[in-house]
Amino acid sequence: DGRIELWNLEEDQDIETMISELESDPSVAYVERDWEVSINKEPNDPSFNLLWGLSNAGTGKALAGADISAPTGWDIQTGSRDIIVGVVDTGIDFRHPDLRDNMWINEGEIPNNNKDDDGNGYIDDRYGWDFHGDKKDGDDDHSHGTHCAGTIGAKGNNKVGVTGVAWNVRLMSLKFLSR
């Protein structure tokens, strides 16, 4: 007869068991969880409120809304591990707590064996390459590249530091500048 019912479970009831029982009842046409939906996903990173370019409520002298409205976008997507972003700058501090989990890793290389294991012409290029110094990894000796990498892809919602625009991308260090 087109009736819709919303049921609340007791604390000791298992939702999966309840769904199975209801689905097996011939008088029940369809069962669906009542999902909690939110808008404007904001990460729990302690310094997120300092990133006025991502979300700006107009505090201080800032102009409200002068931002990219990142929380609205994060409701849809927070990045993908399938995406690798090459950061062409002063390198990346791949040990940084907000970046280390999002660093691209060249799985074809055995670290620190002084061999070009994957045959791409670069020895031990585990996290990228230092084209300025012609050596492995592209570790940042300036901090600008690390800052840019953080803006792009600092791990979000991990209760550490800040968040990047894309929380779950992989970052490849392509250093071409130095101090």
Side-chain angles (χ1 to χ4, degrees):
D1 64 26
R3 291 185 331 172
I4 296 175
E5 295 183 14
L6 176 63
W7 291 24
N8 291 312
L9 300 180
E10 300 296 325
E11 283 189 38
D12 62 335
Q13 288 181 297
D14 176 61
I15 191 162
E16 297 303 327
T17 303
M18 180 59 75
I19 289 172
S20 292
E21 288 175 8
L22 288 169
E23 287 177 332
S24 67
D25 184 333
S27 66
V28 175
Y30 185 77
V31 179
E32 182 175 315
R33 288 177 185 242
D34 183 24
W35 294 101
E36 182 177 327
V37 178
S38 64
I39 59 171
N40 297 333
K41 179 187 270 181
E42 288 198 12
N44 61 15
D45 303 283
S47 296
F48 172 68
N49 64 327
L50 302 176
L51 302 174
W52 60 267
L54 298 183
S55 182
N56 182 355
T59 56
K61 295 180 182 181
L63 177 63
D67 57 51
I68 65 169
S69 301
T72 302
W74 291 329
D75 285 341
I76 301 165
Q77 177 67 255
T78 58
S80 168
R81 302 300 291 166
D82 294 332
I83 296 172
I84 301 168
V85 179
V87 180
V88 182
D89 207 294
T90 62
I92 300 174
D93 176 0
F94 48 86
R95 294 167 296 276
H96 189 285
D98 252 348
L99 301 176
R100 66 179 170 232
D101 291 341
N102 280 358
M103 290 302 298
W104 167 79
I105 297 175
N106 182 352
E107 299 293 340
E109 285 291 334
I110 299 168
N112 304 315
N113 70 351
N114 294 316
K115 294 180 183 177
D116 180 13
D117 301 298
D118 61 1
N120 68 357
Y122 302 102
I123 296 170
D124 291 336
D125 57 318
R126 189 82 169 140
Y127 301 108
W129 191 254
D130 177 349
F131 290 94
H132 181 269
D134 196 29
K135 58 186 178 183
K136 68 177 182 172
D137 294 335
D139 199 11
D140 196 353
D141 60 2
H142 183 276
S143 77
H144 189 267
T146 298
H147 172 81
C148 290
T151 300
I152 296 164
K155 189 74 177 168
N157 213 34
N158 64 349
K159 299 181 182 179
V160 175
V162 297
T163 187
V165 173
W167 307 355
N168 297 307
V169 297
R170 293 184 291 157
L171 302 164
M172 179 192 297
S173 180
L174 300 171
K175 180 177 182 166
F176 85 109
L177 293 170
S178 190
R179 293 179 182 243

